[in-house]
Amino acid sequence: MSTARTLDAPRPDFGPAEVERLREDFPILTHPVHGKRLVYLDNAATTQKPRPVLAALERYYRHDNSNVHRGVHFLGERATQAYEGARERVRHLLNAPAAREIVFTRGTTESINLVASSFGRSRVAQDDEILLTQMEHHSNIVPWQLLAERRGARIRVVPVDDRGELDLADFERMVGPRTRIVAVSHVSNVLGTVNPVREICAIARRQGVPVLVDGAQAPPRMPVDVQALGCDFYTFSGHKLYGPMGIGVLWGRSELLGELPPYQGGGQMIESVSFEKTTYAAIPARFEAGTPNVAGAVGLAAAIDYLEAVGLDRIDRHERALAAHAAEALSELPEVRLIGTARERTSVVSFVVEGVHAHDVGTVLDHEGIATRAGHHCAQPLMERFGVPATTRASFGLYNGEEDVHALVRGLHRVREVFG
């Protein structure tokens, strides 16, 4: 089987020499796996960290380590400047109107839980509706289910078609007078589908319904402008953006965030405390109780600097081209079935190998030095929709090239040899 692209297929933005140069920025990629060159295709789960991020983390702990906001000493001021500088860096990445609309969390999951808890407490009541889609990650399902159970509300679900796309007409029909919030992924972590978020937000806005966007898979690989999208909340995680684990972002419109009650109580999120009454701080401090992950924020800012230096537009084109090339090559294997063939897709390719469980596929690929993800990808309702218990998922990053696609195809030949 050939892995050559068709003549009209897009070519990756980064040629072999540039891919190798980019790989050199990521020390972990220099370590062989089972004696073979590491082909890391698990970027939808977490990305590797470039040298500038590693250096920023070490520099912070070596030279600036202190708690923020409460100290008037030199290190406290340095740490506060670094932390608030990171907030401004995120604001710029998302083109948010104001830095105070950026709330640091532990990741996308906590960001969604924050909105579900605080928004739900003040805005969702008995018999109200929460509108999700069939392609959501568990992190954008379970928090809303917990809210629905507490408030007596109902979850409604927009279906996904056989290509892995949403029908906007279906969505528009399902936004009703009892809809209190829409929660939708920007990019499916299983299908790679890029959802028409701007159109979804426009439909919801006409009904006066706010929209939360699970952006975990989007900012690492494409420019994101929350004002252009028209959403009301946007979330993402640092570790999928070539930054540290344990740091994430919630952006929300200031008029909405300012009305929400606190998510957690503790230090830093208050104006004054007595045993009789507590008054809460303004945003974003209201939602950042306790000692924050200052180093994580510093590392996230360094990751954003790195991505913007490479070019998010270039990364987007490069990864889409690799995914298209991989999908084309895998579709020529008779034993492989692609899951998700949306017209607007990014760097994720999910597939099943006939007669071989996804975990076995992943294990054989691992022994060939190829890291993929195998399982339901925290999207069990979507697996049920496509009638499979699990898939193998290859997800591309900026340091992947066409040689990695060829390695994946060779690895699947090996799977066929092992399992007949």
Side-chain angles (χ1 to χ4, degrees):
M1 190 213 72
S2 170
T3 58
R5 291 186 316 275
T6 56
L7 290 177
D8 59 347
R11 181 175 291 278
D13 245 46
F14 309 143
E18 189 167 7
V19 168
E20 287 306 310
R21 183 186 63 76
L22 288 168
R23 280 179 63 92
E24 291 174 1
D25 286 342
F26 296 81
I28 200 169
L29 298 181
T30 66
H31 300 294
V33 171
H34 302 300
K36 297 179 174 64
R37 174 184 181 272
L38 172 58
V39 177
Y40 187 78
L41 300 179
D42 196 19
N43 295 285
T46 197
T47 49
Q48 300 303 336
K49 317 309 170 195
R51 294 181 192 276
V53 171
L54 301 177
L57 292 170
E58 182 179 14
R59 185 167 56 247
Y60 169 77
Y61 278 122
R62 279 184 178 272
H63 301 291
D64 300 328
N65 181 50
S66 177
N67 216 323
V68 294
H69 298 135
R70 294 184 281 275
V72 295
H73 55 79
F74 177 79
L75 290 181
E77 291 181 357
R78 290 260 300 220
T80 298
Q81 289 171 2
Y83 185 65
E84 294 303 328
R87 198 187 308 276
E88 171 59 26
R89 200 69 194 81
V90 173
R91 183 209 68 77
H92 182 268
L93 175 75
L94 298 180
N95 191 33
R100 67 193 180 100
E101 298 177 329
I102 304 298
V103 178
F104 285 123
T105 66
R106 290 181 299 149
T108 302
T109 297
E110 186 177 46
S111 296
I112 296 171
N113 274 275
L114 189 163
V115 176
S117 175
S118 295
F119 181 91
R121 207 182 327 160
S122 58
R123 298 287 193 95
V124 177
Q126 181 81 28
D127 297 326
D128 284 343
E129 295 177 352
I130 300 160
L131 188 57
L132 310 178
T133 83
Q134 208 169 16
M135 69 174 70
E136 299 309 313
H137 189 281
H138 294 170
S139 292
N140 205 24
I141 298 174
V142 179
W144 304 110
Q145 288 179 327
L146 293 170
L147 170 61
E149 291 168 3
R150 288 196 303 269
R151 308 297 289 179
R154 186 160 69 104
I155 302 289
R156 299 194 69 196
V157 181
V158 182
V160 172
D161 66 18
D162 290 342
R163 295 181 69 102
E165 296 177 337
L166 300 174
D167 186 323
L168 286 176
D170 284 343
F171 174 79
E172 188 161 15
R173 281 192 295 270
M174 295 182 73
V175 179
R178 301 299 301 183
T179 307
R180 292 295 171 261
I181 191 165
V182 172
V184 59
S185 54
H186 196 162
V187 174
S188 168
N189 73 306
V190 176
L191 308 171
T193 303
V194 181
N195 281 318
V197 171
R198 187 179 305 192
E199 291 82 357
I200 286 170
C201 292
I203 292 168
R205 192 183 307 115
R206 289 197 291 270
Q207 300 287 339
V209 177
V211 178
L212 176 142
V213 179
D214 172 355
Q217 300 295 334
R221 48 189 54 92
M222 63 181 68
V224 173
D225 183 333
V226 294
Q227 295 188 72
L229 291 176
C231 57
D232 300 278
F233 301 102
Y234 197 95
T235 70
F236 70 88
S237 298
H239 72 97
K240 297 181 190 294
L241 195 99
Y242 303 88
M245 292 185 174
I247 188 72
V249 167
L250 166 66
W251 169 80
R253 294 186 186 277
S254 56
E255 59 269 27
L256 280 175
L257 285 179
E259 294 176 357
L260 299 186
Y263 173 55
Q264 295 175 320
Q268 183 57 34
M269 48 76 68
I270 52 87
E271 286 184 346
S272 66
V273 174
S274 70
F275 284 109
E276 290 72 37
K277 182 177 176 60
T278 295
T279 57
Y280 303 114
I283 60 171
R286 180 184 305 174
F287 300 108
E288 294 182 3
T291 298
N293 183 358
V294 183
V298 168
L300 175 58
I304 293 170
D305 287 342
Y306 181 85
L307 287 176
E308 292 191 340
V310 176
L312 282 164
D313 284 314
R314 293 192 70 205
I315 292 169
D316 187 19
R317 291 192 300 268
H318 178 72
E319 294 182 4
R320 286 183 191 235
L322 287 178
H325 182 25
E328 182 179 60
L330 268 57
S331 66
E332 295 179 16
L333 287 169
E335 67 274 16
V336 171
R337 175 164 68 98
L338 297 178
I339 304 296
T341 56
R343 286 158 290 193
E344 184 74 10
R345 297 175 63 237
T346 184
S347 59
V348 175
V349 179
S350 283
F351 58 92
V352 294
V353 177
E354 183 180 356
V356 186
H357 194 280
H359 290 162
D360 293 326
V361 174
T363 299
V364 173
L365 291 175
D366 174 60
H367 283 280
E368 298 301 309
I370 304 164
T372 57
R373 178 79 26 176
H376 54 62
H377 315 297
C378 293
Q380 286 179 298
L382 189 61
M383 295 293 108
E384 184 177 349
R385 161 65 181 83
F386 283 96
V388 296
T391 72
T392 305
R393 182 184 71 193
S395 50
F396 297 90
L398 62 88
Y399 37 60
N400 294 122
E402 289 189 307
E403 175 54 36
D404 296 331
V405 175
H406 304 160
L408 176 62
V409 172
R410 290 194 300 269
L412 290 173
H413 281 301
R414 179 62 182 153
V415 170
R416 184 167 55 187
E417 291 170 5
V418 171
F419 291 98

